[in-house]
Amino acid sequence: MKSSEYASADGDAPAPAAVGSADWGVSADLRKQELSADEIQALSQVSAARSRAYRFSSRLEREFQGHEREASRPTRIGLSLIPVVTFGTAPLWQSFIADSPDSMLSMLWLIEWGVMVPLFLAITWAQWRHVTSQLSELVLIVGFLLLVGAVEFIRYRGAALGHHVEPYLTVAIPVGVVTLAHLSILRSVGFIAAYGIVILARYVFDPSGVLERGPQEWVLETLLLGTALLSAIGSKIASRRQWATRRLLEMMVYRDPLTGLANRRALEERYEIARRAVYRGERRRLFFALIDMDWFKRVNDVYGHEYGDGVLAETGLVFAQFARRPLDLAVRLGGDEFALLLYDCDLARGRERVEELLLAIRDLQIDHRDNRGGVVTCSAGGIAVGPEQDLPDAYRAADVCLYRAKHAGRDCLVAEQLE
């Protein structure tokens, strides 16, 4: 890679910006690359349907559920508006279409306008403004369970006045919620179970059996609820596979596929974030190093490209061990070229860390017969920079140091401070 690849059209550094201490100012896009090996493996298995387990780690599970809630915002709002429209317009039609007796109208209007319309207007607002929160989801679930109870109560009072209301109206509520609200599988099952409890509670409030369902009604309800639940489970599994695939693709935007290290795009973004963080600190610096494998072309010529890829992957694991702090970054720039960015690191500490890295790679004892010592080694050029230097400046200076290290016999580090 040539230093000109990092040349910018505008030599002026961008104005420093505030960096949050909680997440070190790392953007949401860049955080998408921060996945552990176990998380990547789990995502790959779910994406390829190679595993019967579809649950992610706790962190990814929260991320997935948040994504599902956000994606379901339109349907949850629409679902919450149905009771608002239905109950809100009931005085216009219920005495004609539903043939509700006059003795029931005052009670119905109290339930509809006094309770249900305000309640579901609040639930609609919660889904619109706070759909990603778990509390908003629980409010939705509780609201529709209260709606089930209200409908059953209306059925009970109507039956006492000689007005029969079909039970199919009640079962439409859990069917609609389970199929449209995109709840988790456990919450879908829990909602149906809670619905069953509400329905069975009629034995407490209706000992005379006025609301008794016949065998056909029970079979129909069971079939409808079972079909809705199976549909929700299938939809949720498909959503998990699609999300896992998309999450892996998002990660690959910032990742080198061979080594799993960050790529050049991630370096450009992370360097700018780290530089702004340094700007806010007092007498803090960054240490930036370019590292090349010694005579790597000969590795491919002698051992083959498959062996060479294995060498890159194995050394990539070592690089990752030296970039564990939030703003540190190990990068594969391409071919056998790597970079290491160390935050809040002066020249002495940076030189020490990179020399430890070179020693760790040498200690792998990877066979390389055309290299001095017969093992794979690396050369490095490092530069300690302040917040005034942008990435092209740091890259050019480190590239000069790397050139000097190669001419000094390779398998060594040349480092200096850029004023």
Side-chain angles (χ1 to χ4, degrees), residues 19-290:
V19 177
S21 59
D23 61 0
W24 297 83
V26 182
S27 71
D29 286 339
L30 190 55
R31 281 198 298 271
K32 290 184 182 301
Q33 67 169 298
E34 307 296 345
L35 292 175
S36 68
D38 290 341
E39 288 174 334
I40 293 173
Q41 182 180 14
L43 287 170
S44 299
Q45 289 178 342
V46 172
S47 175
R50 290 196 298 262
S51 171
R52 294 183 179 179
Y54 290 96
R55 190 170 180 83
F56 306 114
S57 66
S58 58
R59 182 174 74 93
L60 288 181
E61 187 67 28
R62 288 193 300 271
E63 189 178 329
F64 169 71
Q65 295 298 344
H67 167 269
E68 285 290 281
R69 295 187 192 110
E70 181 64 42
S72 69
R73 185 195 302 266
T75 55
R76 290 190 180 189
I77 291 175
L79 195 63
S80 302
L81 282 173
I82 290 175
V84 174
V85 174
T86 302
F87 289 126
T89 62
L92 302 177
W93 53 262
Q94 65 188 8
S95 60
F96 304 102
I97 298 176
D99 194 25
S100 301
D102 294 339
S103 57
M104 283 185 62
L105 291 180
S106 58
M107 179 198 71
L108 290 174
W109 291 346
L110 175 62
I111 294 174
E112 293 160 353
W113 280 91
V115 180
M116 289 297 135
V117 170
L119 172 63
F120 278 93
L121 281 174
I123 292 173
T124 301
W125 179 85
Q127 304 315 303
W128 174 44
R129 296 299 300 271
H130 305 287
V131 71
T132 57
S133 73
Q134 290 198 44
L135 180 59
S136 173
E137 185 170 273
L138 291 175
V139 166
L140 179 77
I141 292 172
V142 171
F144 277 98
L145 286 175
L146 290 175
L147 178 59
V148 170
V151 172
E152 286 296 292
F153 176 75
I154 291 171
R155 290 185 64 234
Y156 171 73
R157 293 295 298 168
L161 296 173
H163 179 65
H164 178 71
V165 179
E166 294 291 343
Y168 307 134
L169 180 63
T170 313
V171 75
I173 297 171
V175 169
V177 171
V178 169
T179 55
L180 297 177
H182 294 273
L183 303 176
S184 68
I185 294 175
L186 286 178
R187 288 190 175 175
S188 294
V189 173
F191 184 84
I192 291 177
Y195 166 79
I197 292 173
V198 173
I199 296 301
L200 292 177
R202 63 179 172 76
Y203 287 111
V204 176
F205 300 101
D206 179 32
S208 61
V210 173
L211 299 182
E212 182 65 49
R213 285 167 166 79
Q216 292 182 346
E217 292 168 336
W218 281 116
V219 170
L220 180 60
E221 284 203 25
T222 302
L223 289 175
L224 286 173
L225 292 173
T227 302
L229 184 58
L230 288 176
S231 175
I233 292 173
S235 175
K236 186 63 68 173
I237 290 174
S239 294
R240 284 178 176 271
R241 290 176 180 171
Q242 293 169 4
W243 184 81
T245 300
R246 183 167 54 251
R247 189 67 170 80
L248 288 171
L249 291 174
E250 289 170 345
M251 178 204 68
M252 290 171 63
V253 171
Y254 290 97
R255 287 280 182 177
D256 170 60
L258 178 62
T259 62
L261 298 177
N263 60 16
R264 188 185 314 177
R265 178 176 177 178
L267 172 63
E268 292 170 350
E269 185 170 339
R270 182 67 65 86
Y271 185 94
E272 195 60 35
I273 292 169
R275 183 164 75 99
R276 291 173 179 174
V278 167
Y279 183 91
R280 298 178 66 229
E282 295 182 359
R283 292 185 292 182
R284 290 183 176 180
R285 304 189 70 83
L286 298 175
F287 190 86
F288 179 72
L290 292 175

